Amino acid sequence: MSISRRTILQGATAAATIGTFSIARAQTPEFTYKYANNLPLAHPMNVRANEAMEKIKAETNGRVVIQIFPNNQLGSDTDMLNQVRAGGVEFFTLSPLILSTLVPNASVSGIGFAFPNYDAVWKAMDGELGAYVRGQIAKANLHVMDKIWDNGFRQMTSSKGPINSPADLKGFKIRVPVSPLWTSMFKAFDSAPASINFAEVYTALQTKIVDGQENPLAIIATAKLFEVQKYLSQTNHMWDGFWFLANRRAWERLPQDLRTIVAKHIDAAAMNERADVAKLNAGLQAELTSKGMVINETKPDEFRAALQKAGFYAEWKGKYGDEAWAILEKAVGGKLA
């Protein structure tokens, strides 16, 4: 199924049924689980997750029903992470950079200006770097699916003016997710980062608590941030994804045959969502321009040099340790620190 920009931006018919899954008449569910996330209903992640949950219900003959709660319905990222750890929510998708509040080395894939392109990202995340991070997540008593979902390369937006160089970030009040890596990077640029959960971002921008924020194009579009931000700077400063997490006890309650079915469809949905985001991003610049945003391109070299000079890469190499850093540098094909 191909997903057009119109479908994403105006809402998806398929996604509109999220949260209303009916119980198969011939089979009372043995397992009724909840999946929570922080993204709008129309985002490709929720569209593809909805498809996956319907396929899981069908292939298990109604034994497994997974209800989706999108758009922070069950709380902030921090709240939902606590719920999936406690078992109040069985499944949750979360950025590795926010997951680092629990699993410190999960954020190694989000180091600023590390990945040059998507080819490098998927080679790393479907390969040695992804396997390393999943091993770290497993130590935190969570189960994690094999395939990471795409959030995208992150871009900066502002109500004040375009970000052309590191100098434009000096003193800039920018919302960042609740994650040490983000805060550290923008402090290295002499910005004023404020950690705010995604559910509060629109209001924080609207009321000028912060001047700007940073997110992938698909989120800028689906969350309608163009209504409260004028300038979009294509910085590609970090790549970000979503690990599909499960409460370990809930996961292990499923018999092995059901686990296989659930994992198969969730990982297949992740691959489809990656393709959707790529297609969406290809046309979103024009869409956002039509909404009134002023877009400018930037080059990574100057930003990367500023981070090196500030000691950002050396600091995080020390925090992650030599093993994780070596895997990262091997994945991106060059020295960062």
Side-chain angles (χ1 to χ4, degrees):
M1 177 182 112
S2 63
I3 295 183
S4 67
R5 296 193 302 277
R6 181 179 297 275
T7 301
I8 298 305
L9 297 175
Q10 296 183 358
T13 301
T17 60
I18 288 176
T20 62
F21 301 116
S22 61
I23 296 173
R25 283 174 291 179
Q27 176 72 57
T28 301
E30 292 177 47
F31 303 94
T32 302
Y33 282 176
K34 294 186 287 292
Y35 159 49
N37 66 70
N38 66 1
L39 291 184
L41 198 66
H43 190 280
M45 188 169 78
N46 276 315
V47 177
R48 293 301 187 176
N50 184 55
E51 290 178 354
M53 303 323 175
E54 291 290 357
K55 289 175 181 177
I56 288 166
K57 183 174 72 172
E59 191 170 342
T60 63
N61 295 316
R63 294 173 67 194
V64 178
V65 171
I66 302 172
Q67 187 175 11
I68 302 176
F69 295 85
N71 210 28
N72 293 109
Q73 286 182 12
L74 299 186
S76 69
D77 289 334
T78 309
D79 295 332
M80 290 186 286
L81 179 58
N82 288 334
Q83 289 176 58
V84 80
R85 293 180 69 196
V89 167
E90 287 81 15
F91 295 103
F92 176 41
T93 33
L94 185 64
S95 161
L97 291 103
I98 301 173
L99 182 57
S100 68
T101 58
L102 173 65
V103 183
N105 279 18
S107 63
V108 67
S109 59
I111 283 288
F113 300 94
F115 289 110
N117 52 48
Y118 265 118
D119 287 344
V121 167
W122 300 134
K123 184 178 179 181
M125 301 313 295
D126 290 337
E128 189 177 1
L129 187 64
Y132 170 80
V133 173
R134 290 196 302 277
Q136 297 293 305
I137 294 170
K139 293 178 183 177
N141 211 30
L142 291 168
H143 179 77
V144 57
M145 300 298 170
D146 286 346
K147 298 297 182 183
I148 193 168
W149 297 51
D150 190 22
N151 192 3
F153 280 96
R154 301 180 78 92
Q155 321 297 348
M156 299 183 199
T157 69
S158 169
S159 60
K160 296 181 72 175
I163 306 298
N164 289 300
S165 72
D168 295 319
L169 289 169
K170 189 167 185 177
F172 184 64
K173 292 188 294 182
I174 185 167
R175 175 268 173 179
V176 295
V178 183
S179 167
L181 182 60
W182 261 291
T183 302
S184 172
M185 187 179 84
F186 283 100
K187 282 184 175 177
F189 286 130
D190 290 328
S191 304
S195 295
I196 298 172
N197 272 298
F198 186 72
E200 300 160 23
V201 169
Y202 188 99
T203 302
L205 295 168
Q206 188 176 42
T207 57
K208 302 296 175 66
I209 291 173
V210 289
D211 301 317
Q213 63 85 53
E214 48 78 67
N215 257 302
L217 294 179
I219 290 182
I220 293 168
T222 54
K224 299 185 177 181
L225 300 186
F226 52 80
E227 295 178 349
V228 287
Q229 295 278 272
K230 175 75 173 176
Y231 301 95
L232 168 61
S233 300
Q234 295 263 92
T235 49
N236 292 310
H237 55 276
M238 294 166 137
W239 174 80
D240 192 21
F242 296 103
W243 286 115
F244 206 108
L245 307 170
N247 174 275
R248 183 175 293 280
R249 293 181 301 279
W251 181 251
E252 291 178 350
R253 278 199 298 272
L254 294 174
Q256 184 58 54
D257 62 325
L258 298 185
R259 281 187 237 168
T260 299
I261 292 168
V262 171
K264 175 182 71 175
H265 288 297
I266 288 175
D267 282 339
M271 300 302 286
N272 288 331
E273 185 264 359
R274 292 180 187 182
D276 293 340
V277 171
K279 183 178 179 181
L280 182 61
N281 284 341
L284 270 177
Q285 285 195 45
E287 294 281 352
L288 291 168
T289 298
S290 76
K291 301 292 185 182
M293 297 199 87
V294 177
I295 300 177
N296 68 289
E297 303 288 333
T298 63
K299 295 182 178 179
D301 295 351
E302 192 177 353
F303 290 90
R304 194 181 293 115
L307 291 179
Q308 287 173 332
K309 184 177 179 181
F312 171 79
Y313 293 121
E315 174 190 352
W316 283 92
K317 179 180 179 180
K319 288 182 177 180
Y320 291 130
D322 290 343
E323 179 191 10
W325 198 260
I327 294 170
L328 173 65
E329 288 190 329
K330 180 180 176 183
V332 302
K335 291 288 184 182
L336 293 169

